[in-house]
Amino acid sequence: MGQRIKIKALLQSGETGTEVTVKGWVRAFRSNRFIALNDGSTNSNLQIVVDFENTDPALLKRITFGAAVAITGTLAPSLGQGQSVEVIASEIEILGDCNPDEFPLQPKKQTLEFLRENAHLRFRTNTFGAIFRVRNTLSFAVHQFFQEKGFVYLHTPVITQSDAEGAGEAFHVTNFDLANVPRTDTGEVDYKQDFFGKSTNLTVSGQLEGELGAMALSDIYTFGPTFRAENSNTTRHLAEFWMIEPEMAFYDIHDNANLAEELLKYVISYALDKNKEDLEFLTQRLLEEEKQKPQNERSELSLLDKLQFCLNNDFERLTYTEAIQILRDSTPNKKKKFVYPVEGWGTDLQSEHERYLVEKHFKKPVILTDYPKEIKSFYMRQNDDGKTVAAMDILFPGIGEIIGGSQREERLDKLETRMDELGIPKDELWWYLDTRRFGSCPHAGFGLGFERLVLFVTGMGNIRDVIPFPRFPKNAEF
Ligand code: ATP
Ligand code: MN
């Protein structure tokens, strides 16, 4: 057998009349004659024509759905519908048999729930092939965007010291024998005896360390795994997810919002360009899925239209205070349709409120700024009104919050006062405070949840379907 060529390349530029070798998994075998072969490079299967009269019947029997095969043959123009070329096989080798009676996947539509339980095999379906190729493109596009702008990719630690924000969402990291945890004289866990000599966690965000980098390199970004032990069984939360966190010296909140909007548009446009076929497939998938829903619950725009729409429109920018006014006056609020009624200024927005603003009121992505300081983190820059901070959340249709960010408090006295008010231990964050002591400067940054981005671009409904092996409460299989 000759040198293997991938199916995508073959379909794009194969010369008919030449001999080719392809390898992949059988998606279908019809009439003992036509193999639909897929190797994951594209959703388009390659048709292989088998000369069954001159092939050993024992070999033909082993060409089953899911089997891995290597085939050599001549590339020829196809007479059949649905493909321009096909391979007239001269040599067939079974690389891995696949017993159809035992193989969990079947050559028919299977539910996303079933495929989630078989996440080790779901890559072999068209839907998941498309999702993970799009995910790959988006992650490459993120790097390309920042690299073109001269940002430095900074690897912030995965193991961090005590959860500084005290949100209680961090997973503990310990080397203790849990059946025999050392205790101090007063009965507390004696972390001095633990591996790091102190209590440690998996990171919930690389921001604080990212800021340290920005205060010298000017512009940095992180793109790494993030862990949150929040017990939220939603379609938008994972216990392990990937976050992109740029941090820029000399940026204010407006520069921050501009960069975020530019980034989102860049990566979406990149995927539209590079993964046209996959996104067309996913658009079709969503249309089929929505046919099951009542008319009023179907989206007005198709997936491709929605992505295009996002590129062609400026994101709506308004303050939290303006948003509260809109929500208070909204029909669902007056008719008591919200699970959480919008009453006064100062409460946090629920996902239902965010989605109302984006999907019903503005019908486009929204950038909300200047939230009450009580509902935001200690490091956000305090506005002159004494009530709000320079926070910025970006809300997307079907998703809600996709980005959370802010201009950071660069003034040492203001930062320390706020930390004292919130009871955040300054001694633990001495290194963070040092940047405000030595050459402090205005700076800003944000966190983009990578899976929420993939969710939006692929049109999938559950975040567990856009990461290869999702981690969520009571699940760490595979
Ligand atoms: P939410 O209110 O939706 O839980 P958050 O306010 O906790 O989000 P941030 O702490 O601002 O989120 O994190 C930045 C971004 O990380 C969010 O905008 C979101 O895109 C993403 N994100 C946060 N938590 C999760 C999670 N558990 N799973 C996946 N993505 C997440
Ligand atoms: Mn959260």
Side-chain angles (χ1 to χ4, degrees):
M1 285 195 175
Q3 171 120 47
R4 173 204 179 200
I5 178 167
K6 286 208 193 165
I7 292 174
K8 184 177 182 189
L10 187 72
L11 293 176
Q12 272 170 359
S13 58
E15 270 178 54
T16 56
T18 58
E19 177 170 277
V20 295
T21 295
V22 288
K23 298 181 183 184
W25 294 267
V26 174
R27 282 287 176 86
F29 187 34
R30 285 188 295 119
S31 322
N32 248 356
R33 197 172 173 82
F34 302 108
I35 301 174
L37 191 71
N38 189 285
D39 66 2
S41 58
T42 161
N43 268 351
S44 303
N45 297 329
L46 178 66
Q47 173 153 291
I48 313 288
V49 184
V50 181
D51 178 6
F52 66 97
E53 283 160 326
N54 296 304
T55 305
D56 177 5
L59 179 77
L60 289 177
K61 265 207 188 130
R62 295 171 64 198
I63 306 176
T64 56
F65 176 69
V69 297
I71 287 161
T72 295
T74 310
L75 192 65
S78 177
L79 304 175
Q81 273 190 341
Q83 68 268 328
S84 56
V85 290
E86 59 193 19
V87 171
I88 313 296
S90 52
E91 205 183 327
I92 299 175
E93 187 190 338
I94 308 287
L95 300 173
D97 288 286
C98 186
N99 182 343
D101 298 331
E102 291 171 8
F103 189 39
L105 298 189
Q106 296 297 313
K108 59 164 194 196
K109 206 171 153 46
Q110 289 178 304
T111 65
L112 293 171
E113 289 76 17
F114 174 84
L115 292 171
R116 219 170 283 145
E117 284 160 17
N118 289 278
H120 59 309
L121 298 171
R122 66 180 177 170
F123 301 108
R124 296 205 198 170
T125 64
N126 281 338
T127 297
F128 288 93
I131 291 170
F132 290 113
R133 282 188 299 269
V134 170
R135 184 181 163 113
N136 168 63
T137 299
L138 287 170
S139 100
F140 183 80
V142 164
H143 284 294
Q144 179 139 310
F145 174 83
F146 287 119
Q147 294 297 325
E148 280 173 359
K149 289 189 176 296
F151 280 56
V152 173
Y153 178 31
L154 196 73
H155 296 96
T156 49
V158 169
I159 298 175
T160 60
Q161 65 179 11
S162 202
D163 181 11
E165 287 188 56
E169 290 181 343
F171 286 99
H172 299 301
V173 175
T174 178
N175 226 18
F176 282 151
D177 168 6
L178 293 186
N180 202 357
V181 174
R183 302 219 169 241
T184 61
D185 296 343
T186 49
E188 275 137 32
V189 175
D190 187 7
Y191 284 109
K192 284 210 179 70
Q193 296 188 46
D194 205 352
F195 188 90
F196 295 107
K198 54 168 74 167
S199 155
T200 48
N201 296 313
L202 291 179
T203 182
V204 294
S205 157
Q207 179 203 320
L208 301 190
E209 290 91 349
E211 283 186 49
L212 311 181
M215 302 297 261
L217 300 163
S218 281
D219 301 318
I220 65 95
Y221 68 106
T222 72
F223 186 172
T226 310
F227 307 87
R228 294 194 186 173
E230 48 193 346
N231 206 351
S232 31
N233 254 308
T234 75
T235 54
R236 295 178 323 281
H237 288 91
L238 291 163
E240 176 181 302
F241 62 101
W242 288 68
M243 186 142 67
I244 295 138
E245 294 181 279
E247 201 64 43
M248 297 74 63
F250 317 116
Y251 269 49
D252 68 13
I253 180 98
H254 304 291
D255 304 324
N256 204 24
N258 290 342
L259 183 79
E261 180 168 346
E262 194 187 337
L263 166 67
L264 289 166
K265 287 181 170 171
Y266 181 96
V267 298
I268 292 169
S269 152
Y270 199 92
L272 278 169
D273 187 40
K274 284 277 181 315
N275 292 74
K276 193 160 177 290
E277 189 195 50
D278 288 324
L279 291 172
E280 276 164 2
F281 173 84
L282 290 166
T283 298
Q284 207 50 46
R285 190 206 72 85
L286 191 59
L287 278 177
E288 298 291 324
E289 190 185 86
E290 295 212 321
K291 278 188 193 150
Q292 322 291 324
K293 293 186 183 168
Q295 189 79 44
N296 64 339
E297 283 176 30
R298 295 181 201 167
S299 1
E300 292 166 30
L301 297 179
S302 77
L303 175 61
L304 279 173
D305 291 339
K306 206 167 67 174
L307 297 177
Q308 207 61 55
F309 182 84
C310 185
L311 297 184
N312 298 339
N313 288 281
D314 290 339
F315 296 1
E316 188 72 34
R317 300 185 190 199
L318 68 158
T319 64
Y320 164 92
T321 306
E322 289 163 332
I324 285 287
Q325 199 57 50
I326 292 170
L327 288 166
R328 228 189 278 161
D329 296 343
S330 70
T331 317
N333 196 48
K334 288 183 172 154
K335 291 196 171 162
K336 308 219 181 308
K337 288 277 164 64
F338 285 138
V339 180
Y340 299 90
V342 183
E343 273 143 13
W345 191 93
T347 54
D348 207 354
L349 298 184
Q350 300 294 328
S351 165
E352 57 177 346
H353 307 139
E354 297 177 342
R355 293 184 61 172
Y356 172 82
L357 289 171
V358 174
E359 291 160 31
K360 299 283 189 286
H361 191 82
F362 292 112
K363 294 185 191 284
K364 57 170 150 163
V366 168
I367 307 184
L368 276 188
T369 57
D370 304 297
Y371 283 72
K373 65 176 183 205
E374 281 75 23
I375 58 174
K376 289 291 182 188
S377 305
F378 76 92
Y379 49 71
M380 296 192 179
R381 193 174 197 280
Q382 295 158 46
N383 288 328
D384 292 340
D385 62 12
K387 294 192 306 193
T388 60
V389 287
M392 154 193 114
D393 279 9
I394 302 193
L395 315 177
F396 257 41
I399 309 283
E401 181 188 328
I402 193 165
I403 280 182
S406 69
Q407 187 173 335
R408 318 305 188 190
E409 183 55 81
E410 83 282 13
R411 299 162 295 187
L412 181 64
D413 55 330
K414 300 248 181 207
L415 185 59
E416 287 189 319
T417 308
R418 191 69 189 135
M419 288 172 81
D420 289 340
E421 279 168 15
L422 295 172
I424 293 168
K426 285 186 297 202
D427 53 336
E428 272 182 34
L429 289 178
W430 62 271
W431 43 272
Y432 186 71
L433 290 168
D434 257 8
T435 53
R436 273 65 173 173
R437 287 193 187 102
F438 308 113
S440 188
C441 70
H443 63 288
F446 59 84
L448 164 62
F450 185 56
E451 283 74 20
R452 294 208 186 159
L453 172 68
V454 183
L455 202 53
F456 178 72
V457 176
T458 58
M460 298 301 290
N462 192 324
I463 200 163
R464 296 172 188 179
D465 292 332
V466 300
I467 187 164
F469 301 105
R471 268 78 180 99
F472 51 91
K474 303 281 174 284
N475 186 82
E477 194 68 48
F478 309 107

